[in-house]
Amino acid sequence: MGDTSAAFLSEQEVLIRDSARKVAAEVVAPTAAERDRTCAWPRGELKAVAELGFLGMLIPEEYGGSGSSSSFVDYCLAIEEFAAADAGFATLIHVHNTMAGMLAKVGSEEQKRRYLPALASGEKIGATLFTEPHAGSDTAAFRTTARREESHYVVNGSKQFISNGSEAGVAFVLAVTDKTAGRNGMSLLLAEPSEPGYIVARIEHKLGQRSAHVAQIQLENCRVPIENLVGDEGGGYKLVMSLLSEGRVAIGAVAVGTARAALEAAVRYAREREAYGAPIIKLQGVAFDLADMATQVEVARQFMIHAARLCEAGIPCAKEASMAKLFASEMAEKVCSDALQIHGGYGYVNDFPVERYYRDVRVTKIYEGTSHIQKLIISRGLV
């Protein structure tokens, strides 16, 4: 299939995209099915992409990253390419980069110099401990507390569905430091999982994206040094909310990449599979389904890039970011389902990758805010 979208990308954007496409095809894709089967953490694959700078795309060069020479659009294009090879791999490097990018934006100089080089090199993997078991998207209901005690905060609580939580070397923790202040009583802390009190209670068994480990984390008298407070005490909620748009656009990129892979697999199969004396792509019903799928993927990609450019320019775009995630994730589930259908019975077995794409893409409608949450944000933007 032709790539007309490259005409609207800069030379650098094409270069970054093609570099990500190459390493994804050569390093990530060949092991994706086996990692899905065994739920294996991709250590070797992470090392390979770290060497090319993809774990430090949102980190400035002065701290060991490649962020000074790459943009947020570059980043989303790379995420799309990794998702086309393995959506779980794309998710885990997105979570890592999100954590690192947040630290680069809001951390103190000392915090950045202490943690960012190790995050850029992949020596440490980043995680964000925000979601709680009983709260979900209702951040006002968070119960994890951080009590100041001399030179430390003592953190207690449970965090749920934490991507990279079991493998992290450094993590953001959102905790309540003032129970009387509501959302203005939440603070953002940098915790080191190697310290006592950070307990991986369980690693979840998931429908898809199985190599992207998701954990329940118990914080039991976990001590975090005072100097690991990020920003002002009580300012954690605002810091986290201010960075959500970028995360939602990137999940749109994960959805687009997975859907594109499913579309490409369906086209290949339809060209090769014969029925009634000809390849099934000659059948109007199949051809029209593929035409619809290709249209949806391209529309989602173009709006994802548009939203990424708004983020990059610093233009407030909560509505557009939610639109990008909502449309891309809903589209991707349908495209992956249609790709499976075109494969017929073979699509339902794991000899063909569309079965994995179908499972992997479902969560894009859930994480970084469910589809209903995105609709709520969009509707508020209209008002």
Side-chain angles (χ1 to χ4, degrees):
M1 287 176 283
D3 181 13
T4 56
S5 63
F8 301 97
L9 300 176
S10 70
E11 184 178 343
Q12 174 180 290
E13 288 164 353
V14 172
L15 182 66
I16 294 291
R17 184 202 63 182
D18 289 352
S19 177
R21 182 174 294 178
K22 186 174 188 292
V23 71
E26 294 178 356
V27 176
V28 181
T31 56
E34 178 64 15
R35 282 186 283 104
D36 173 70
R37 188 182 68 81
T38 61
C39 303
W41 180 257
R43 297 189 189 282
E45 294 85 350
L46 283 170
K47 184 175 185 296
V49 301
E51 290 172 354
L52 294 173
F54 288 110
L55 295 189
M57 289 193 76
L58 304 181
I59 298 174
E61 289 179 1
E62 62 185 294
Y63 303 106
S66 55
S68 303
S69 57
S70 60
S71 68
F72 186 65
V73 175
D74 295 335
Y75 174 69
C76 288
L77 292 170
I79 290 294
E80 179 189 336
E81 295 304 324
F82 288 119
D86 178 0
F89 186 85
T91 292
L92 73 89
I93 66 169
H94 165 59
V95 171
H96 168 87
N97 274 294
T98 295
M99 186 273 161
M102 285 178 64
L103 182 57
K105 285 184 176 181
V106 303
S108 69
E109 184 62 25
E110 192 276 332
Q111 290 166 350
K112 289 188 282 190
R113 295 204 175 278
R114 188 172 5 137
Y115 292 114
L116 288 181
L119 288 165
S121 69
E123 178 188 341
K124 290 183 183 293
I125 295 297
T128 55
L129 275 64
F130 298 157
T131 304
E132 298 194 0
H134 59 281
S137 297
D138 184 8
T139 51
F142 279 8
R143 297 176 185 170
T144 297
T145 60
R147 184 185 75 256
R148 189 161 178 167
E149 191 175 275
E150 297 179 348
S151 62
H152 287 76
Y153 287 98
V154 180
V155 186
N156 284 279
S158 297
K159 297 292 183 177
Q160 180 69 309
F161 303 131
I162 305 304
S163 296
N164 302 354
S166 58
E167 305 288 339
V170 59
F172 276 135
V173 178
L174 190 61
V176 177
T177 47
D178 183 350
K179 295 180 180 179
T180 67
R183 287 172 175 167
N184 292 324
M186 297 182 184
S187 299
L188 192 61
L189 306 172
L190 276 166
E192 297 191 17
S194 59
E195 292 298 315
Y198 183 105
I199 300 166
V200 180
R202 61 175 288 160
I203 297 175
E204 304 293 348
H205 298 281
K206 310 196 306 310
L207 174 70
Q209 298 199 12
R210 291 172 176 168
S211 62
H213 293 179
V214 169
Q216 183 184 93
I217 305 297
Q218 291 291 127
L219 301 165
E220 297 182 1
N221 293 320
C222 183
R223 296 176 66 81
V224 176
I226 294 293
E227 58 266 25
N228 279 21
L229 171 68
V230 181
D232 297 326
E233 190 169 287
Y237 179 80
K238 289 180 180 178
L239 288 178
V240 171
M241 291 300 109
S242 70
L243 298 170
L244 282 182
S245 289
E246 291 186 358
R248 286 166 177 158
V249 176
I251 296 305
V254 173
V256 169
T258 311
R260 190 192 87 204
L263 169 63
E264 291 171 350
V267 170
R268 284 194 304 271
Y269 184 81
R271 285 173 173 166
E272 296 167 1
R273 177 79 162 94
E274 292 193 0
Y276 311 108
I280 64 172
I281 199 168
K282 299 290 186 180
L283 299 173
Q284 189 179 74
V286 173
F288 280 14
D289 283 349
L290 290 169
D292 285 340
M293 293 158 67
T295 301
Q296 295 291 301
V297 171
E298 189 60 26
V299 170
R301 174 187 292 112
Q302 295 305 326
F303 194 81
M304 178 271 290
I305 293 173
H306 167 66
R309 293 201 191 283
L310 293 177
C311 289
E312 186 178 308
I315 298 171
C317 59
K319 175 168 63 71
E320 291 80 5
S322 287
M323 286 176 170
K325 181 187 183 295
L326 176 66
F327 185 83
S329 60
E330 298 281 342
M331 170 281 299
E333 184 185 36
K334 178 67 164 58
V335 166
C336 290
S337 177
D338 289 346
L340 190 154
Q341 188 72 22
I342 286 169
H343 281 70
Y346 290 110
Y348 201 66
V349 297
N350 62 15
D351 293 340
F352 288 81
V354 289
E355 175 265 350
R356 173 166 56 86
Y357 301 149
Y358 183 68
R359 289 185 289 104
D360 283 353
V361 83
R362 183 60 180 83
V363 75
T364 62
K365 291 171 59 174
I366 298 173
Y367 61 8
E368 293 275 4
T370 65
S371 290
H372 282 146
I373 291 295
Q374 306 314 315
K375 290 178 182 179
L376 180 63
I377 294 166
I378 294 165
S379 65
R380 286 174 175 171
L382 299 176
V383 176

